[in-house]
Amino acid sequence: MDHEVFHVDDPRILKAVAHPLRTRLLGELRANGPATATELAGRLGESSGATSYHLRQLARYGFLEADPDRRDRRERRWRAIHRFTSWSDVEMAATAEGREAAAFPRRRQLEKLTADVENFERECDLWSEAWVEAAGMSDVVVRLSPATVASLYERVSAMLLEAAERDRDDPDARPVAVVLAAHPRRDPAAGHG
C-alpha cells in the first residue's frame, strides 16, 4: 500500500465506504492484497457484477486503485491504497450527514466483533489449545484523560504493526481481529465532559 492512513474530512467520502459490501471489499483487499472482482465475489459469496460496481465506487472515492502488477493484460486487479481510514469525529459531528456517516463504521465494527466472537465460539474445537487459550476479550475501567486515550491508540497500533512484522513468516500466525475501544463513562461525583 502506498500510504498508511487515508484521513477523510468529507462526510460524502465516508458514506461511500459505509455500504456493507464496500466495507467488506476494502477489508479483504487490505488484509489479503490485490484481487479481481471475480476473486472477491467468490470469497465473499457475492456476484462479480456487484463486486465490480462497488470496487469502482471505492476507487472513485480514493480508497482503491487498479493494481499495476497485473498477472495478465486482460484482468483488472484492485488494491487498497491505504492501510487505514481515519476521520475526526468532531469534524463529522458538525453536520447531521457527518454524524450519520461516522456512526456506520462504529456499528459495522461492533457487528464484525460480534460475528468474530460467535464464529470462534462455534468453531472452538477446530483451533489448537494454544489459540483457544490466547483468544479472548477483557475489559478494564481506568481513569484516563483524552490525551492519554489518544496516545494509547497510537502506541497499541504501533505495537500491533511491529508484532505483525515479527510474525509475518511464522507458520502458526493467523489473521487476528484486534479491537481497541475506549469510551468514557459518566462519573456522577465529578461531572462529565
Side-chain angles (χ1 to χ4, degrees), residues 71-122:
R71 292 183 293 214
D72 70 54
R73 296 179 57 137
R74 292 174 289 148
E75 75 176 359
R76 182 171 201 167
R77 297 179 66 74
W78 295 94
R79 72 176 186 162
I81 299 173
H82 315 91
R83 185 182 302 264
F84 304 105
T85 302
S86 73
W87 60 91
S88 166
D89 282 320
V90 171
E91 289 174 12
M92 290 296 164
T95 66
E97 180 184 32
R99 286 188 296 278
E100 178 187 337
F104 176 82
R106 285 191 295 270
R107 288 191 302 270
R108 180 67 185 123
Q109 287 175 319
L110 288 172
E111 291 167 4
K112 184 69 176 125
L113 173 62
T114 300
D116 286 346
V117 170
E118 290 172 350
N119 287 338
F120 181 77
E121 289 172 348
R122 193 170 34 259

Side-chain angles (χ1 to χ4, degrees), residues 28-145:
E28 186 69 24
L29 291 170
R30 284 178 173 169
N32 298 312
T36 66
T38 302
E39 291 168 340
L40 291 164
R43 290 182 208 166
L44 301 177
E46 299 286 341
S47 73
S48 59
T51 57
S52 181
Y53 170 78
H54 289 293
L55 288 165
R56 287 192 309 273
Q57 292 303 305
L58 286 167
R60 176 181 172 203
Y61 287 98
F63 292 94
L64 306 180
E65 66 184 1
D67 183 17
D69 299 326
R70 297 186 292 194
R71 292 183 293 214
D72 70 54
R73 296 179 57 137
R74 292 174 289 148
E75 75 176 359
R76 182 171 201 167
R77 297 179 66 74
W78 295 94
R79 72 176 186 162
I81 299 173
H82 315 91
R83 185 182 302 264
F84 304 105
T85 302
S86 73
W87 60 91
S88 166
D89 282 320
V90 171
E91 289 174 12
M92 290 296 164
T95 66
E97 180 184 32
R99 286 188 296 278
E100 178 187 337
F104 176 82
R106 285 191 295 270
R107 288 191 302 270
R108 180 67 185 123
Q109 287 175 319
L110 288 172
E111 291 167 4
K112 184 69 176 125
L113 173 62
T114 300
D116 286 346
V117 170
E118 290 172 350
N119 287 338
F120 181 77
E121 289 172 348
R122 193 170 34 259
E123 300 169 349
C124 189
D125 58 333
L126 302 175
W127 291 98
S128 69
E129 288 181 359
W131 273 114
V132 171
E133 193 64 35
M137 295 172 52
S138 68
D139 65 324
V140 179
V141 178
V142 293
R143 292 184 61 82
L144 301 173
S145 70

